[in-house]
Amino acid sequence: SSRTARSEEDRDSLWDAWGSWSECSRTCGGGASYSLRRCLSSRTCEGRNIRYRTCSNVDCPPEAGDFRTQQCSAHNDVKYQGQFYEWLPVSNDPDNPCSLKCQARGMALVVELAPKVLDGTRCYTESLDMCISGLCQIVGCDRQLGSTVKEDNCGVCNGDGSTCRLVRGQYKSQLSANKLDDTVVAIPYGSRQVRLMLKGPDHLYLETKTLQGLKSENSLSTTGSFLVENSSIDFQKFPDKEVLRISGPLTADFTIKIRYAGAADSSVQFIFYQPIIHRWRETDFFPCSASCGGGYQLTSAECFDLRSSRVVADQYCHYYPENIKPKPKLQECNLDPCPASDGYKQIMPYDLYHPLPRWESTPWTACSSSCGGGIQSRSISCVEEDIQGHISPVEEWKCMYTPKMPIVQPCNIFDCPKWLAQEWSP
């Protein structure tokens, strides 16, 4: 082992110390910086003389445009085979994602204008992996080179998927003489991986409402990608169906509607991840139950709206079965003996530290049907918590300051799957 240690020491000592880091290749959007070292030996040094790290990991302003697009357009004022062209990027080349391939606008002409894109260019449009010195390098969602950390379905880096919920369902059109359109589904701000498929003669369109209250309507008439409230929409229109995809996160509340176009029925299947915007938040400790001589203090939990950053009624948090209310914590306080002069121990007013009575519910029962609509139920009771955190039932009138939670709700309201025969093959 000493011989191995010595040979490693010798090998390392052949190199000079690493130099300072270079300037970042980009000012925003994720770039690369490098550091060099010299080989001090006449023999070949083992290892690399250059190392890289990511830098400028802040998003570029929207008006800055795409980095690969900028590199292609830089060739617009250089003649190619005696002629000027307006160059557009060719992205996501599986064979060589780090070469600068560009296409002349309105033409089939595709040319490799540079063997390597600039350091920090994304290898693929839907990935953080970046090109460095002409090679595609893995970049995790933590923006670190070589990291394999990924976002969960909720968009949280290295998350466990607990901050959102999967919503899926089906809508069937119900024609009536006095209705021209109908609402399919409301998809709230922050939702991700939205996908809808309409089958039938009717047409999809969007209504949006920003957090500031601005409303707009967007008809979807042609296949293509476009921006609605800074959310990129991918829409495909076929003779008998329409497909809508939004990777998100949505920057407004979206309402997907259907405009009736024929006598035949249409159906829409939808799926998306919806953020859980109400979460329990533990309070600070309430004031101590005694001014001296030893007392107790408790924490409680309040329901917090992440969008508006304010406390709301508890039933908003009960809506999400993923939310588990934190149990109260108890600690001793003001343990110093009371002054000998009067020996008086002041007891604090009861309701300063004692949590109010509240509704508690049992978990929902299993749904009465696996599809086609069923019901599930639970029981609720009014409870009170004592200073040690013990919970006991009390009369219901004590909870009347807060609305009663529902005890029955519909579930699995999507249609049951059924076999659908296609045309016979030749």
Side-chain angles (χ1 to χ4, degrees):
S1 65
S2 62
R3 195 160 56 243
T4 308
R6 214 166 35 246
S7 65
E8 282 183 2
E9 217 174 85
D10 293 342
R11 187 186 69 197
D12 288 345
S13 65
L14 302 177
W15 288 106
D16 196 0
W18 285 105
S20 56
W21 289 100
S22 69
E23 274 192 28
C24 196
S25 62
R26 298 183 66 185
T27 55
C28 63
S33 172
Y34 64 86
S35 168
L36 299 169
R37 62 178 178 174
R38 284 184 309 162
C39 180
L40 301 175
S41 166
S42 55
R43 293 180 288 138
T44 307
C45 293
E46 282 183 48
R48 301 175 66 184
N49 68 333
I50 187 168
R51 60 179 178 172
Y52 294 94
R53 70 177 182 188
T54 55
C55 47
S56 299
N57 287 320
V58 290
D59 290 337
C60 294
E63 64 272 13
D66 175 66
F67 196 32
R68 197 179 282 264
T69 304
Q70 292 171 17
Q71 292 171 61
C72 282
S73 60
H75 292 263
N76 290 354
D77 54 0
V78 179
K79 281 187 177 178
Y80 176 77
Q81 294 181 347
Q83 198 172 336
F84 289 110
Y85 296 95
E86 185 183 347
W87 297 104
L88 301 173
V90 176
S91 301
N92 303 326
D93 179 0
D95 298 324
N96 193 357
C98 291
S99 68
L100 184 64
K101 284 188 180 171
C102 308
Q103 183 171 2
R105 184 186 281 280
M107 302 175 70
L109 177 65
V110 176
V111 179
E112 186 183 280
L113 294 177
K116 297 176 185 177
V117 289
L118 297 177
D119 286 354
T121 307
R122 300 272 171 89
C123 308
Y124 307 100
T125 49
E126 297 298 319
S127 165
L128 289 172
D129 296 349
M130 68 169 62
C131 296
I132 297 178
S133 195
L135 295 174
C136 186
Q137 305 281 355
I138 292 173
V139 177
C141 62
D142 54 0
R143 305 290 183 115
Q144 297 305 307
L145 212 56
S147 166
T148 54
V149 176
K150 289 186 166 51
E151 283 187 352
D152 64 9
N153 290 320
C154 312
V156 178
C157 187
N158 208 20
D160 59 3
S162 63
T163 60
C164 67
R165 63 199 317 224
L166 178 66
V167 177
R168 63 196 309 163
Q170 185 165 311
Y171 162 93
K172 265 196 169 26
S173 62
Q174 296 170 336
L175 297 173
S176 63
N178 57 353
K179 276 176 75 174
L180 299 173
D181 54 23
D182 198 10
T183 297
V184 175
V185 62
I187 307 177
Y189 174 94
S191 296
R192 292 172 174 267
Q193 300 181 41
V194 180
R195 189 174 188 274
L196 290 97
M197 181 187 286
L198 175 143
K199 289 183 180 177
D202 300 327
H203 302 296
L204 294 171
Y205 73 100
L206 303 174
E207 283 183 357
T208 59
K209 182 182 177 184
T210 65
L211 295 184
Q212 291 74 36
L214 296 172
K215 294 182 179 179
S216 65
E217 187 178 303
N218 299 272
S219 58
L220 303 165
S221 50
T222 56
T223 292
S225 296
F226 45 95
L227 274 180
V228 174
E229 298 297 347
N230 285 328
S231 291
S232 179
I233 312 284
D234 181 45
F235 180 67
Q236 292 174 288
K237 193 178 181 73
F238 301 97
D240 60 339
K241 69 177 181 180
E242 295 180 355
V243 179
L244 175 69
R245 288 187 183 88
I246 316 171
S247 57
L250 298 190
T251 50
D253 290 328
F254 277 57
T255 304
I256 313 293
K257 295 201 165 187
I258 194 169
R259 190 166 278 135
Y260 298 135
D265 287 344
S266 292
S267 68
V268 183
Q269 290 179 323
F270 55 85
I271 186 169
F272 59 92
Y273 285 94
Q274 173 189 342
I276 296 174
I277 59 168
H278 298 109
R279 299 191 77 84
W280 292 111
R281 186 176 71 169
E282 199 170 50
T283 65
D284 293 332
F285 279 97
F286 288 100
C288 192
S289 62
S291 58
C292 60
Y296 300 94
Q297 56 188 160
L298 283 162
T299 62
S300 185
E302 56 196 12
C303 187
F304 191 68
D305 186 320
L306 300 175
R307 270 167 68 163
S308 62
S309 296
R310 58 194 180 89
V311 177
V312 294
D314 281 7
Q315 69 257 32
Y316 286 103
C317 285
H318 289 305
Y319 172 70
Y320 302 102
E322 299 88 344
N323 275 347
I324 297 167
K325 189 173 184 179
K327 287 187 166 55
K329 287 182 185 159
L330 174 76
Q331 71 177 19
E332 293 179 299
C333 50
N334 292 348
L335 299 176
D336 294 336
C338 293
S341 57
D342 57 5
Y344 175 62
K345 177 175 176 179
Q346 181 191 0
I347 304 296
M348 300 293 279
Y350 178 78
D351 58 359
L352 265 182
Y353 63 88
H354 194 282
L356 287 166
R358 64 176 185 272
W359 295 111
E360 284 271 318
S361 65
T362 60
W364 288 106
T365 60
C367 194
S368 61
S369 176
S370 60
C371 61
I375 57 166
Q376 54 187 163
S377 61
R378 63 181 175 183
S379 61
I380 64 167
S381 57
C382 183
V383 299
E384 205 172 45
E385 211 171 87
D386 67 17
I387 202 163
Q388 281 82 29
H390 299 137
I391 293 170
S392 55
V394 292
E395 301 89 344
E396 285 202 359
W397 63 264
K398 290 191 175 182
C399 285
M400 287 309 164
Y401 73 95
T402 181
K404 208 169 183 178
M405 299 182 290
I407 58 171
V408 177
Q409 72 175 6
C411 51
N412 295 342
I413 53 175
F414 51 87
D415 288 353
C416 293
K418 59 178 184 284
W419 291 107
L420 180 66
Q422 306 294 318
E423 295 297 316
W424 287 103
S425 66

